[in-house]
Amino acid sequence: MSEIVNGQAASHCRYRGYAKTYGKCTEPYFSALYFSDTCSSHAAGGAVLKPTHIFDRDQEWQGLSSFIERTGPNATLGVISGRRRQGKSFLLQAAAEAAGGLYFAATEATEAESLRMFADALVRHARAPVEYPFRDWNDAIAFLFRQFTGKPTPVVIDEFPFLARASPSLPSIIQRELGPGGSGRGSSARLLLCGSAMSVMGGLLAGQAPLRGRAGLELVVQPFSYRDAAEFWGLTDPRLALLVHMVVGGTPAYREEFTGSDAPDGLADFDAWVVRTVLNRQSPLFREARYLLAEEPDIRDPALYHSVLAAIASGNTTNGGIASFIGRRSDQIAHPLNVLEDCALISKQPDLFRSGKAHYRIAEPLITFYEAIMRRRWAELERNRAPAVWEATRPTFLKQVAGPHFESVCRDFAAEADAELFGGLPAEVGSATVNDPAARTQIEIDVAVLAAQDSDAPRRILSLGEAKWGETIGHGHLHRLERARDLLTAKGYDTRETVLTCYSAAGFTPELQQDKRDHVLLIGPPQLYAR
């Protein structure tokens, strides 16, 4: 058996900080300010250098830099999306400033006012007046593309859904101007459309949308991974990092703006940190979960959507379970489930061993925390009874928040594993159920890892895993995995080298730790956070 639970993590989280100094410029991670000239530069080969005070986001910056520096005779289009508070605007402001481009942040306004603000932004950038007042977006987009020739230059239009809502023809206008004979011909503009309304941004390039086939970049800015989130928060204790991630996930804004850089000072401070931040009625985090739903334009019945999310947070993760919880038929919740998926607030994950069965998971940990802990005790929280509410809801937190979240982190760990860990590169990772006819029951597999399908050969199972947050894992859990493996072997899967993996934040029995069998792996929090 490969026992690494008592070993040290390969590397501890290094806190690079949310504020860095570069030259004379010091900026917070999620600042709304532009960078000064001392904070922008280009590499010798022309690539746009990422400012040092931007934490992580290396892949996103590489994608932006490659798009901006792309050579070609005509204007190009990129679409940037992502849920709110992920740092999209901050990233694009930095890219525009570093490459000498234009950044325009739209607001909720009429078309006429938006056109005037856009013209003002062009004037400030070019330091020259526009030729004539824009009558509509036909004039504005044509003028924009004609302004940029020669060196590739980024032009960022942030919060694009605000403009498209007031001017529904705008995507079609951009499509026309990017096409043959349009003003984008001969332009060096690298137009980047950005927005947080996921359903709107996703629709720009989907199906028969006007801009489908026009974009040279489609970038979704995701929350930080659980490892990067720990480093961003400055947490070196893996168990504490897991607890914090269960509450605020990997959203960058929650570290600085929403909590004022207040991170828990050790495990003993976690309970007090929850009370003084997310359960504090004076904290922006207190109402954030509600606002995440209210800000989505396609969510028109908040009560129904909160009930759907509450069902999932309570452990009712199938279509039928959700419908039963909220008192509706299964066909009546198809639309709200689709909307929540389009908004990237939930995800639909198939059962890897049962075709046609799927589980819904909430994508934002703060929403899970709100639905499981806060929503039911909202009146008490507003009366400033946070300590009492948290004390009373700790069992609920452990069951409905901590347990499922730990399973999710373990699946993320398995998905990112290299080929050496499980004897092959993971192709699919998820939860699964295995029918046990003899016992007339089902065995729940928290972390199933499958290799890629190899022609007509039996599908290879790399690992079957059990994940427990607050339960010490022993041979009983291992025997259940062995039974599942045997049942899957009978179904035709290749399980000859399947690794039985036990994940636990509470530890393992001495007997299990002393078991020396091959193809058994024990994973604790230090291994989850090892780089």
Side-chain angles (χ1 to χ4, degrees):
M1 178 175 65
S2 302
E3 184 184 342
I4 57 176
V5 66
N6 292 324
Q8 294 298 315
S11 63
H12 292 288
C13 296
R14 301 175 308 280
Y15 180 43
R16 281 179 270 172
Y18 61 91
K20 288 288 186 181
T21 301
Y22 184 72
K24 296 182 178 179
C25 177
T26 300
E27 298 281 359
Y29 172 78
F30 201 74
S31 170
L33 301 175
Y34 286 97
F35 302 114
S36 68
D37 292 339
T38 61
C39 288
S40 62
S41 60
H42 289 70
V48 182
L49 287 180
K50 188 184 79 170
T52 57
H53 60 272
I54 294 182
F55 177 87
D56 197 58
R57 300 302 190 198
D58 294 332
Q59 291 185 351
E60 292 87 347
W61 188 271
Q62 182 181 5
L64 286 172
S65 177
S66 298
F67 175 79
I68 292 169
E69 297 296 332
R70 186 177 302 174
T71 58
N74 304 317
T76 55
L77 172 69
V79 175
I80 316 298
S81 61
R83 299 206 315 268
R84 296 187 185 278
R85 328 290 192 248
Q86 304 308 322
K88 301 182 302 298
S89 299
F90 178 72
L91 191 68
L92 290 170
Q93 284 176 355
E97 184 70 16
L102 168 67
Y103 175 86
F104 172 69
T107 61
E108 292 188 276
T110 64
E111 179 177 291
E113 185 182 9
S114 294
L115 285 167
R116 286 196 296 271
M117 290 189 289
F118 187 62
D120 290 342
L122 287 169
V123 168
R124 288 194 301 271
H125 180 266
R127 298 180 182 177
V130 297
E131 299 172 356
Y132 49 83
F134 300 143
R135 294 168 299 178
D136 52 31
W137 283 107
N138 290 287
D139 290 347
I141 297 301
F143 181 85
L144 167 68
F145 284 142
R146 290 196 300 268
Q147 282 294 105
F148 296 95
T149 57
K151 174 189 172 184
T153 306
V155 178
V156 178
I157 299 181
D158 202 357
E159 295 299 350
F160 182 76
F162 289 154
L163 301 181
R165 189 182 309 156
S167 308
S169 63
L170 181 53
S172 297
I173 294 171
I174 294 174
Q175 183 268 342
R176 183 194 65 205
E177 295 304 315
L178 286 170
S183 58
R185 189 173 183 84
S187 173
S188 63
R190 302 294 178 253
L191 181 60
L192 291 160
L193 307 180
C194 178
S196 300
M198 295 296 288
S199 56
V200 175
M201 298 304 296
L204 291 178
L205 306 177
Q208 302 300 314
L211 293 176
R212 179 170 174 78
R214 295 294 186 189
L217 173 70
E218 185 176 6
L219 174 63
V220 179
V221 179
Q222 302 284 3
F224 289 143
S225 70
Y226 70 92
R227 289 191 185 101
D228 288 336
E231 188 172 350
F232 185 62
W233 279 80
L235 303 173
T236 56
D237 183 325
R239 187 177 176 85
L240 177 60
L242 282 167
L243 285 166
V244 171
H245 196 263
M246 292 169 186
V247 180
V248 294
T251 298
Y254 299 160
R255 169 70 172 95
E256 171 63 15
E257 282 82 355
F258 281 62
T259 62
S261 303
D262 181 1
D265 184 19
L267 280 169
D269 187 45
F270 175 73
D271 290 341
W273 175 80
V274 170
V275 169
R276 66 178 181 261
T277 55
V278 66
L279 296 184
N280 179 1
R281 62 182 181 176
Q282 296 179 350
S283 167
L285 275 180
F286 184 68
R287 294 176 176 82
E288 172 67 3
R290 289 186 168 192
Y291 294 157
L292 288 175
L293 262 69
E295 290 169 342
E296 291 294 340
D298 288 350
I299 294 180
R300 299 182 176 89
D301 184 0
L304 172 61
Y305 287 86
H306 274 295
S307 292
V308 170
L309 291 169
I312 300 173
S314 299
N316 301 282
T317 60
T318 63
N319 186 290
I322 296 168
S324 176
F325 183 90
I326 67 175
R328 300 285 181 93
R329 298 193 312 270
S330 294
D331 61 310
Q332 293 178 319
I333 64 169
H335 178 69
L337 287 173
N338 289 335
V339 170
L340 288 170
E341 268 195 280
D342 291 341
C343 296
L345 294 177
I346 66 172
S347 62
K348 185 179 181 180
Q349 302 173 4
D351 187 308
L352 296 188
F353 298 142
R354 294 188 63 185
S355 177
K357 182 178 180 181
H359 295 272
Y360 290 93
R361 316 286 188 191
I362 298 176
E364 173 53 62
L366 186 62
I367 291 180
T368 302
F369 186 87
Y370 169 79
E371 298 293 348
I373 304 298
M374 301 175 65
R375 185 164 170 257
R376 304 172 187 178
R377 311 291 290 266
W378 190 257
E380 296 168 77
L381 291 171
E382 287 198 314
R383 292 199 298 270
N384 203 29
R385 294 181 178 175
V389 169
W390 178 238
E391 180 65 26
T393 56
R394 280 301 301 272
T396 302
F397 174 79
L398 295 175
K399 179 181 179 181
Q400 296 186 13
V401 179
H405 190 90
F406 183 66
E407 294 173 9
S408 176
V409 168
C410 293
R411 286 190 286 269
D412 290 343
F413 168 84
E416 297 169 2
D418 55 28
E420 286 73 22
L421 186 65
F422 299 127
L425 197 64
E428 287 186 82
V429 177
S431 60
T433 53
V434 180
N435 285 325
D436 188 347
R440 297 184 179 181
T441 187
Q442 292 181 338
I443 301 174
E444 301 290 337
I445 305 298
D446 299 323
V447 187
V449 185
L450 304 183
Q453 182 67 56
D454 184 13
S455 63
D456 296 328
R459 188 71 182 273
R460 186 181 173 203
I461 300 176
L462 298 179
S463 175
L464 298 174
E466 179 99 353
K468 298 297 182 184
W469 169 257
E471 184 177 339
T472 301
I473 288 185
H475 275 101
H477 302 86
L478 184 60
H479 294 332
R480 187 158 53 247
L481 293 176
E482 291 173 332
R483 174 61 177 166
R485 180 194 59 194
D486 295 342
L487 291 168
L488 290 166
T489 302
K491 288 180 175 291
Y493 287 93
D494 181 354
T495 64
R496 290 171 295 175
E497 301 294 325
T498 298
V499 177
L500 304 182
T501 310
C502 299
Y503 306 84
S504 177
F508 307 89
T509 63
E511 294 78 12
L512 185 58
Q513 294 185 57
Q514 294 166 10
D515 195 320
K516 302 301 180 183
R517 281 178 290 177
D518 293 332
H519 305 307
V520 176
L521 186 63
L522 308 184
I523 301 290
Q527 289 72 49
L528 292 175
Y529 281 88
R531 293 281 188 176

